[in-house]
Amino acid sequence: VDAVKLGVAMAGGTPIVFPAIAVCDGIAMGHEGMKYSLVTRDLIADSTEAMAMAHQFDGLVMIPNCDKNVPGLLMAAARVNIPTIFVSGGPMLAGRVDGKKTSLSSMFEAIGAYTAGKIDEARLKVCEESTCPTCGSCSGMYTANSMNCLSEALGMAPAGNGTILATHKERRNLFLKGAELIVKNALAYYMNDDESVLPRSIATKQAFMNAMSLDIAMGGSTNTVLHLLAIAREAGVDFTMKDIDALSRKIPVLCKVSPNSRYHIQDVARAGGVMGILAELDRGGFLCTGTSRVDYPTLADALKAEDVVRCGRPNKTTTNYLAASGG
């Protein structure tokens, strides 16, 4: 938040900060607290809409990083429809226990093993202190990371949003970039009537199709179905389960990420990130690359610029990159 504030001021804007609530599903797991998690998505959307409309902000930079505030803030952006950019807090570094990388699901498994008498309390403590070693959204392809990746594919977040680690210097650079972009896009809209920078111009039917295609290709959380449909409704887009079903029958799965494999978000970032996966889908003819974005005029422009930068070898497949990254 401090980096975004600084960036907005440096770009000539006036930064004003307000918070959104966020239930942590990890903490709420296994007791009645989980009943409160999903409903907070709509509370987040409602409260953000109220603040944005009551204070008549010129633009919004959303900084989400958990399961319900990513879709909740996307819903708010679609409702308010002023220049908006998403820059997540970033994913955490994977943990390491006995030389093997770990993530949130590893901790759940450790608790189960302790309850079943398969490990003792000392072993459980080692897992507890090592599984989630840094700040950031959980290091596997869970809902928060999936939605942060989909925000990038949807065009509402700059390239790198879904996979650059929270602790990496490039994450701070992304905050500064997002801040610069929001001032630029707000000026484009209010001074030049450029509606291409507005959420409803970006989050079109084809953009939702691209986002769901990415989700299938990267093996994202199934919760994205629940959230994409809600966001599409707020945006007035006719995106339905029928569309998702049709995509699921033709989009290939290009990579598997924790908890489905030993690879984590940091490996996806090293292998080219979301843009690398989207570039591979584009080479297979599975995307509409004419959709607008917050950081480039179109997805085609983003892929042309980012695929080479992030992947280095645009003629190789994303799956080969992942295999080469070595975990």
Side-chain angles (χ1 to χ4, degrees), residues 1-41:
V1 171
D2 288 341
V4 171
K5 284 176 60 180
L6 176 63
V8 169
M10 289 170 61
T14 302
I16 299 173
V17 176
F18 67 93
I21 62 170
V23 167
C24 172
D25 281 15
I27 296 173
M29 192 70 69
H31 55 82
E32 65 178 356
M34 184 48 65
K35 296 178 182 178
Y36 292 86
S37 180
L38 180 57
V39 295
T40 65
R41 183 192 70 183

Side-chain angles (χ1 to χ4, degrees), residues 213 216-218 247 250-255 281 286:
S213 296
I216 296 167
M218 72 182 185
L247 289 172
K250 68 176 184 178
I251 302 297
V253 178
L254 298 179
C255 56
L281 286 173
F286 296 111

Side-chain angles (χ1 to χ4, degrees), residues 152-206:
E152 197 175 328
L154 196 60
M156 290 298 297
N161 177 71
T163 57
I164 297 174
L165 290 178
T167 52
H168 199 287
K169 67 177 182 179
E170 284 301 317
R171 178 58 59 174
R172 179 177 173 82
N173 291 339
L174 201 64
F175 290 138
L176 294 173
K177 179 179 180 179
E180 181 182 6
L181 281 170
I182 195 59
V183 175
K184 176 184 175 183
N185 289 356
L187 286 172
Y189 176 60
Y190 294 107
M191 300 297 289
N192 301 319
D193 295 322
D194 182 5
E195 294 190 359
S196 69
V197 299
L198 297 180
R200 291 195 181 190
S201 298
I202 294 170
T204 61
K205 173 69 174 283
Q206 289 303 322

